[in-house]
């Protein structure tokens, strides 16, 4: 939308004219000035800093804070006495209207969402889809700033010369990958290894490779780094590879199989980082397994037992001798067969060539060993026509809308100039140079990197912009052909078509990544690797457990969305998803066995009521606390520091991520609470000092309840009834965990279960928060005061389905903030 300067000036004048009502100014001076006067005011807040004009966004935020604190009964403090209903009525409604009017006027002028660009992941996915490739380009991009968990926020996105250079490098890398795929010789590669070729250890040798035992290539349970690496699997080129293997357990324990990991890396001390590919439980019965992973050039596979609860072999000097581990009576994994094949998920060669060259055929150049466009049989005018048609088609996909004639003329002219510069080359090679240059300038255009969101006079986005917003929200990539067609025909103005497109997109491969991508930011799961639990305290935590934790959360939320489950089940569901490794880690495998629930190494739905979700429970009900998001190991791990838990950190996380309650930063003069690692002083005793401080208590009363409710879960996500205490360098049982607390509204709870049921009863609060998180993720703008009425409508619209998760999503997509600038 191109703003009319005259209209903008009028809008700015209208915003400037909106001022805080006189009775509101009088209210804060009469009730707040005693405690908040000057720079030394309590909580660092000075009443005199509040300006009357609402033209300044910073001043609006201050007034919103005042409004919320008064509306919630936090200010004036309770010990000052309750305000009369008449005083509140004279203050809250007029101030609410003034703030709302100011923000709506600003949105009418500038739009609710400011200019924003593609995130790293969106840029990667878009380039891959445009060019029919599949390369992890985001790994080469500069880190992004996260605000409120998200990297999508327009207000925090920056653009510098460094970013521009990085973008150019990424575009070149993507174009190189696409053109190499289309023009080079056959890039297929395959490796078939029987057990004898997998093993590389013979009697008398010491290395870290598998060894032959009874016709199997065996790796034993050990702590040695890179043990189980297979040198013959080193890949010649970076790319996607399909890995097929057949494996069985060697000497498994009586209670379970041997959990193993499949990872890749250079497997040397100089390059110690390893990439997780997958995990499996090896049993006496051999099983066939298939994985697909990106392997950088020179990487090789490492396949080994990874279960830290298994007995470990002890070896010397960083190597393993033939038969050395077996004599120590440890478990192992035996590989029968291994196959590695390079694959191209982005598309076959014909698909890539059609996307890059359209109808122009390619001809092989024996000297250069590369194919080039065959334009030798046509004249310059036909060549220019080919070029213009192909660039126009590509620009439409790149810009997510048809390019203007002026832009197309510029792109074609640039490509033709490049062809002229290469006049000394054969015509096919010169055409390739011009076409590539045309693509490059398109992909470096702001219309590609930034979202173009024109709107009508009411602020509603045009169909092309709605298509982009929907696609990037659900799929993190550019709209596909069907969605672009719907935009071109104007069908996205129909709510039913929006719902149909939502159904369709969620079912696509890209749409199936919606939950993992959304939760990576909303729930901070992107930080799952940030800390590693102390092995002295959490000696049964391993990478297979962490992988299962992530899968548990993804599958659980996917079920809520797909089946439109009530939002209350987000926190109090009586089911989850488990495999036998995670069930064993949680310590509930025995209870599941009593229910005759057989959990395999594959993640599966497990009902703790002994019935399917929604059905009446039976007598075999499991007394498990693992139902609901707050009991997921992934959540409990990212809200701890690896060794200790903090009710403050977890409480703030629950308030902001689950309850939609923004917690302001603590005053500068208040020191942080550090846990006593000796365990001599409980965290409850330490926090009591903060609760006694009036300036601290107003916030602590909000986040302390959920923080203490989760104290029965340790930093590794396991249940505990007692803390651990460090005594003379050793950890012993400490004091009893006390999760009890009192809610802001006076309700008391004595256990995690009671707290969970309490917040599950506030379904509209949970629904409102989820709607807010969806909107922020989808639009790239934080929730503002004027959005509150729209959130009310979204929540009301989902009430009939008991605030079903899918209903909330549909209401968000149909809402004014989603469909308007």
């Amino acid at each position: 939308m191109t703003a009319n300067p005259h209209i903008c000036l009028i809008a700015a004048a209208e915003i400037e004219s909106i001022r805080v009502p006189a009775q509101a100014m009088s209210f804060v001076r009469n009730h707040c000035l005693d405690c908040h006067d000057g720079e030394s005011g309590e909580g660092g807040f000075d009443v005199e800093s509040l300006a009357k004009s609402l033209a300044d966004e910073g001043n609006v935020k201050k007034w919103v804070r005042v409004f919320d604190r008064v509306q919630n009964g936090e200010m004036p403090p309770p010990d000052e006495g309750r305000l009369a209903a008449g005083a509140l009525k004279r203050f809250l409604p007029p101030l609410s209207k003034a703030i709302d009017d100011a923000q709506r006027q600003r949105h009418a002028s500038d739009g609710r969402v400011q200019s924003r660009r593609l995130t790293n992941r969106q840029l990667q996915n878009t380039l891959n889809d445009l060019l029919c490739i599949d390369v992890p380009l985001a790994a080469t991009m500069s880190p992004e700033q996260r605000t409120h968990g998200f990297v999508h926020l327009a207000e925090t996105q920056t653009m510098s010369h460094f970013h521009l250079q990085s973008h150019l490098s990424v575009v070149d890398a993507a174009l190189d990958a696409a053109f190499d795929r289309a023009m080079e010789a056959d890039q297929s590669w395959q490796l078939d290894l029987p057990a004898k070729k997998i093993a590389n250890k013979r009697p008398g040798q010491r290395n870290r490779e598998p060894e032959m035992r009874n016709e199997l290539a065996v790796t034993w349970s050990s702590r040695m780094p890179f043990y189980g690496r297979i040198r013959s699997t080193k890949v010649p080129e970076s790319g996607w590879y399909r890995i097929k293997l057949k494996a069985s357990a060697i000497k498994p324990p009586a209670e379970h199989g041997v959990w193993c990991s499949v990872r890749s890396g250079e497997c040397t001390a100089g390059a110690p980082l390893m990439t997780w590919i997958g995990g499996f439980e090896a049993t006496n019965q051999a099983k066939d397994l298939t994985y697909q992973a990106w392997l950088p050039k020179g990487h090789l596979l490492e396949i080994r037992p990874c279960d830290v609860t298994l007995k470990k072999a002890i070896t010397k000097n960083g190597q393993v001798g033939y038969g050395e581990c077996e004599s120590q009576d440890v478990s192992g994994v035996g590989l029968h067969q291994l196959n590695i094949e390079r694959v191209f998920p982005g598309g076959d060669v014909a698909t890539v060539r059609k996307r890059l060259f359209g109808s122009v055929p390619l001809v092989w150049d024996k000297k250069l060993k590369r194919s080039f466009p065959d334009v030798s049989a046509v004249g310059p005018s036909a060549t220019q026509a080919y070029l213009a048609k192909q660039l126009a088609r590509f620009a439409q996909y790149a810009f997510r809308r048809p390019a203007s004639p002026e832009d197309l003329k510029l792109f074609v002219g640039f490509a033709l100039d490049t062809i002229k510069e290469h006049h000394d080359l054969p015509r096919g090679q010169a055409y390739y140079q011009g076409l590539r240059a045309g693509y490059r300038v398109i992909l470096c255009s702001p219309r590609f990197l930034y979202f173009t969101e024109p709107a009508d006079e009411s602020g509603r986005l045009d169909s092309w912009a709605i298509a982009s917003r929907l696609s990037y929200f659900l799929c993190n990539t550019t709209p596909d052909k069907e969605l672009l067609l719907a935009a071109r025909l104007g069908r996205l103005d129909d709510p039913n078509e929006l719902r149909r497109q939502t159904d369709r997109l969620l079912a696509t491969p890209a749409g199936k990544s919606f939950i993992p991508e959304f939760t990576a930011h909303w729930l901070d799961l992107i930080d799952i690797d940030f800390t590693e639990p102390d092995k002295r305290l959490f000696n049964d935590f391993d990478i297979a457990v962490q992988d299962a934790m992530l899968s548990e959360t993804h599958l659980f939320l996917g079920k809520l969305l797909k089946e439109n489950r009530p939002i209350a089940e987000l926190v109090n569901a009586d089911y989850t998803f488990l495999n036998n490794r995670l069930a064993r880690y949680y310590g509930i495998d025995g209870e599941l066995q009593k229910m005759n629930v057989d959990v395999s190494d594959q993640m599966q739905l497990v009902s703790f009521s002994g019935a399917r979700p929604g059905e009446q429970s039976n007598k075999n009900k499991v007394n498990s606390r693992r139902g609901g998001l707050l009991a997921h190991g992934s959540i409990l791990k990212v809200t701890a520091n690896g060794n200790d838990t903090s009710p403050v950190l977890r409480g703030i996380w629950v308030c902001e991520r689950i309850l939609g309650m923004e917690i302001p930063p603590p005053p500068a003069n208040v020191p942080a609470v550090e846990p006593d690692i000796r365990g001599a002083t409980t965290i409850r005793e330490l926090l009591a000092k903060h609760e006694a401080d009036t300036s601290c208590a107003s916030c602590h009363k909000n986040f302390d309840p959920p923080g203490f409710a989760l104290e029965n879960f340790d930093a590794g996500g396991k249940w505990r009834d007692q803390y651990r205490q460090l005594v003379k360098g050793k950890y012993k049982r400490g004091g009893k965990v006390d999760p009890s607390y009192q809610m802001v509204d006076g309700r008391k709870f004595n256990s995690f279960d009671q707290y969970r049921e309490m917040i599950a009863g506030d379904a509209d609060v949970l629904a409102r928060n989820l709607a807010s998180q969806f909107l922020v993720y989808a639009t790239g703008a934080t929730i503002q005061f004027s959005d509150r009425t729209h959130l009310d409508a979204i929540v009301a619209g989902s009430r009939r389905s008991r605030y079903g998760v899918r209903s909330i999503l549909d209401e968000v997509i149909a809402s004014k903030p989603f469909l308007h600038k």
Side-chain angles (χ1 to χ4, degrees):
M1 178 173 60
T2 303
N4 184 317
H6 181 63
I7 294 177
C8 290
L9 287 173
I10 295 175
E14 291 176 347
I15 297 171
E16 183 66 38
S17 67
I18 299 176
R19 306 178 72 80
V20 175
Q23 60 265 44
M25 294 296 299
S26 175
F27 178 94
V28 294
R29 287 198 173 98
N30 291 337
H31 296 283
C32 308
L33 196 58
D34 289 344
C35 298
H36 301 283
D37 184 15
E39 295 180 358
S40 60
E42 290 188 14
F45 182 67
D46 177 15
V47 168
E48 296 299 335
S49 69
L50 292 169
K52 293 182 179 181
S53 173
L54 293 176
D56 177 65
E57 188 63 28
N59 192 50
V60 170
K61 290 180 179 179
K62 290 182 180 180
W63 277 109
V64 170
R65 183 182 176 192
V66 171
F67 179 92
D68 289 340
R69 300 292 290 273
V70 173
Q71 185 184 52
N72 296 334
E74 298 174 7
M75 288 293 164
D79 55 8
E80 296 290 332
R82 289 195 173 189
L83 291 170
L88 291 175
K89 189 175 181 180
R90 288 190 296 272
F91 173 71
L92 293 174
L95 179 59
S96 173
K97 184 178 185 307
I99 297 173
D100 196 63
D101 287 346
Q103 288 193 338
R104 289 183 187 278
Q105 288 286 357
R106 184 173 290 105
H107 294 168
S109 171
D110 304 329
R112 176 182 176 273
V113 183
Q114 302 305 303
S115 179
R116 62 188 179 112
R117 58 177 170 81
L118 301 177
T119 66
N120 287 355
R121 183 56 64 91
Q122 290 171 345
L123 177 57
Q124 168 190 282
N125 295 348
T126 302
L127 287 170
N128 281 334
D129 286 347
L130 283 174
L131 299 169
C132 299
I133 56 175
D134 199 338
V135 181
L137 300 164
T140 66
M141 302 178 198
S142 55
E144 297 172 289
Q145 179 180 345
R146 291 178 65 212
T147 306
H148 303 291
F150 297 104
V151 297
H152 304 68
L153 301 189
E155 63 187 59
T156 60
Q157 287 185 330
T158 59
M159 181 58 69
S160 64
H161 292 296
F162 178 79
H163 285 98
L164 291 174
Q165 182 59 49
S166 174
H167 178 73
L168 187 60
S169 298
V170 169
V171 166
D172 283 336
L175 288 172
D176 287 344
F179 280 107
D180 287 348
R181 174 78 172 123
M183 300 168 66
E184 287 188 349
D186 184 15
Q187 297 172 316
S188 61
W189 182 84
Q190 188 167 345
L191 185 67
D192 286 298
L193 298 175
K196 289 183 179 180
K197 291 189 176 181
I198 297 172
N200 189 25
K201 195 193 321 292
R202 295 173 178 81
Q205 288 186 334
R206 294 180 63 78
N207 57 33
R208 303 186 193 186
E209 310 267 331
E211 63 189 54
M212 283 299 295
R213 175 191 184 274
N214 296 335
E215 304 302 318
L216 298 179
V218 177
T219 300
W220 303 97
S221 175
S222 169
R223 290 188 177 88
M224 181 179 299
F226 317 128
Y227 180 36
R229 64 190 179 190
I230 307 170
R231 290 198 178 277
S232 54
T233 62
K234 183 178 291 187
V235 297
E237 297 292 341
S238 298
W240 285 96
Y241 291 85
R242 182 179 295 118
I243 302 161
K244 294 183 178 181
L245 62 97
K246 188 173 186 178
S248 59
I250 308 297
K251 296 184 180 180
E255 301 82 10
H256 51 80
V258 179
W259 267 91
C260 305
S261 62
V262 181
R263 302 192 299 174
S264 74
E266 294 182 38
C267 297
T268 64
L273 296 180
M274 302 292 289
T275 301
W276 172 264
I277 294 175
F280 65 94
E281 183 188 35
T283 61
N284 287 324
Q285 183 69 37
K287 60 176 63 175
D288 295 308
L289 303 137
T290 302
Y291 304 96
Q292 190 162 295
W294 175 270
L295 302 181
K297 181 180 180 179
H299 272 216
L300 48 96
L301 298 182
E302 175 211 77
I303 304 174
R304 64 181 296 173
C306 68
D307 187 344
V308 296
T309 66
L310 295 173
K311 179 183 176 182
K312 302 292 185 294
I314 299 175
T315 59
K316 297 180 180 179
N317 302 322
Q319 303 293 348
V320 180
Y322 187 91
E324 183 178 357
C325 295
E326 182 169 11
S327 63
Q328 300 181 50
D329 193 29
V330 295
S331 301
V333 58
L335 299 181
H336 302 240
Q337 185 79 24
L338 178 62
N339 172 273
I340 306 176
E341 179 183 8
R342 189 172 183 187
V343 294
F344 299 89
D348 58 21
V349 173
T351 301
V352 181
R353 287 178 174 176
K354 184 176 181 180
R355 176 57 56 88
L356 294 179
F357 299 107
S359 60
V360 177
L362 300 185
V363 61
W364 180 254
D365 187 310
K366 292 182 180 180
K367 183 178 180 180
L368 297 178
K369 296 182 179 180
R370 191 175 177 91
S371 296
F372 289 97
D374 185 8
V375 293
S376 59
V378 299
S381 60
T383 300
Q384 181 173 340
Y386 284 146
L387 195 68
K389 182 179 180 181
Q390 190 61 22
L391 290 177
R393 182 185 294 113
F394 187 82
Q396 174 170 327
Y397 286 125
F399 296 167
R400 285 84 72 181
R401 63 178 58 246
S404 68
E406 294 79 11
D407 284 339
L408 287 177
K409 184 178 180 180
L410 175 66
F411 302 145
V412 173
F414 188 85
L416 290 173
D417 288 343
T418 304
I419 291 176
K420 292 177 182 178
E421 291 174 5
H422 293 84
H423 61 87
D424 54 330
L425 294 177
R427 288 187 59 197
Q429 295 182 34
Y431 179 86
Y432 152 68
Q433 294 291 346
L435 186 64
R436 189 188 190 284
Y439 288 160
R440 192 173 190 252
V441 73
I442 289 172
L443 295 177
C444 290
S445 168
R447 290 173 178 79
F448 167 71
L449 184 56
Y450 282 81
F451 288 95
T452 303
E453 298 187 319
D456 60 20
E457 292 182 356
S458 70
R460 184 182 173 91
L461 298 172
D462 70 6
S463 292
W464 301 103
I466 291 174
S468 288
R469 187 169 282 190
L470 183 65
S471 184
Y472 281 100
F473 174 37
L474 300 177
C475 302
N476 251 338
T477 191
T478 188
D480 59 14
K481 288 184 178 180
E482 186 170 336
L483 189 55
L484 288 176
L485 176 62
R488 182 166 64 83
L489 298 176
R491 293 175 179 169
L492 297 181
D493 290 334
D494 181 358
N496 293 326
E497 178 66 11
L498 273 178
R499 173 64 184 267
R500 191 188 74 80
Q501 290 290 346
T502 300
D503 290 339
R504 187 184 65 82
L505 291 175
L506 288 173
T508 63
K512 290 178 181 177
S513 68
F514 170 66
I515 289 295
E517 292 289 347
F518 173 58
T519 55
H521 297 89
W522 167 38
L523 302 177
D524 293 324
L525 298 185
I526 196 173
D527 296 328
I528 192 73
D529 291 321
F530 187 70
T531 60
E532 184 174 350
D534 189 328
K535 293 180 180 179
R536 295 175 301 170
L537 295 174
F538 309 100
N539 55 14
D540 55 350
F541 181 90
D542 55 40
I543 192 170
V545 169
Q546 178 171 293
D547 183 63
M549 286 177 171
L550 279 175
S551 295
E552 175 188 24
T553 301
H554 294 158
L555 291 169
F556 173 74
L557 291 171
K559 178 181 175 62
L560 295 185
L561 178 64
K562 184 177 181 180
E563 299 182 7
N564 201 26
R565 303 298 303 172
I567 191 64
E569 292 184 10
L570 182 72
V571 293
N572 76 341
D574 61 356
Y575 57 87
T576 193
F577 286 81
L578 300 169
N579 61 20
N580 55 27
R581 182 69 186 93
L582 188 57
R584 180 154 51 95
Y585 179 79
Y586 283 162
I588 60 175
D589 51 328
E591 293 181 89
L592 294 176
Q593 290 176 3
K594 293 178 182 178
M595 284 178 57
N596 296 319
V597 176
D598 184 20
V599 183
S600 70
D601 63 341
Q602 301 300 308
M603 298 297 294
Q604 63 193 72
L605 178 66
V606 174
S607 171
F608 300 128
S609 66
R612 294 180 179 179
E615 296 180 356
Q616 187 174 0
S617 63
N618 62 28
K619 61 182 180 181
N620 292 325
K621 180 178 180 180
V622 174
N623 183 25
S624 174
R625 309 170 181 91
R626 290 295 170 179
L629 194 66
L630 297 181
H632 285 198
S634 61
I635 302 302
L636 299 163
K637 183 175 185 296
V638 299
T639 56
N641 67 4
N643 296 331
D644 301 306
T645 60
S646 167
V648 172
L649 296 180
R650 278 184 172 169
I652 292 174
W653 188 93
V654 172
C655 285
E656 294 185 339
R657 298 292 195 270
I658 306 301
L659 303 178
M661 185 185 303
E662 185 175 354
I663 304 297
N669 59 346
V670 177
V673 178
E674 297 292 341
D676 179 3
I677 61 172
R678 298 168 302 166
T681 307
T682 67
I683 191 69
R684 187 178 289 268
E685 292 170 330
L686 292 170
L687 284 174
K689 299 177 182 179
H690 279 229
E691 295 163 12
D693 189 317
T694 304
S695 62
C696 298
S698 60
C699 289
H700 272 268
K701 69 180 182 180
N702 290 317
F703 57 72
D704 280 352
F708 280 107
L710 295 179
E711 273 294 272
N712 277 118
F713 295 102
D714 65 21
K718 298 187 72 172
W719 183 268
R720 64 185 176 188
D721 291 310
Q722 291 178 294
Y723 292 105
R724 293 191 184 189
Q725 184 176 357
L726 187 62
V727 180
K728 295 181 179 180
K730 294 184 178 181
Y731 285 99
K732 297 183 178 181
R733 287 193 173 187
K736 184 178 180 181
V737 176
D738 180 8
S740 64
Y741 217 82
Q742 179 173 312
M743 304 278 275
V744 176
D745 58 12
R747 293 179 295 170
K748 296 182 179 180
F749 61 87
N750 296 312
S751 67
F752 168 69
D753 291 338
Q754 290 180 3
Y755 173 77
R756 181 171 56 179
E757 292 304 317
M758 282 184 181
I759 63 172
D762 296 328
D764 59 333
V765 172
L766 299 175
R768 188 183 186 87
N769 170 69
L770 183 59
S772 299
Q773 302 290 350
F774 279 154
L775 269 178
V776 174
Y777 183 69
T779 66
T782 55
I783 300 300
Q784 302 181 38
F785 191 88
S786 59
D787 295 325
R788 296 180 179 185
T789 55
H790 300 303
L791 285 172
D792 291 340
I794 291 170
V795 173
S798 65
R799 193 168 289 136
R800 285 187 177 182
S801 64
R802 293 191 298 165
Y803 309 98
V805 172
R806 175 57 195 271
S807 295
I808 297 171
L809 180 75
D810 288 334
E811 292 291 335
V812 165
I813 292 173
S815 69
K816 185 174 181 179
F818 185 90
L819 297 175
H820 283 65
K821 183 71 173 77

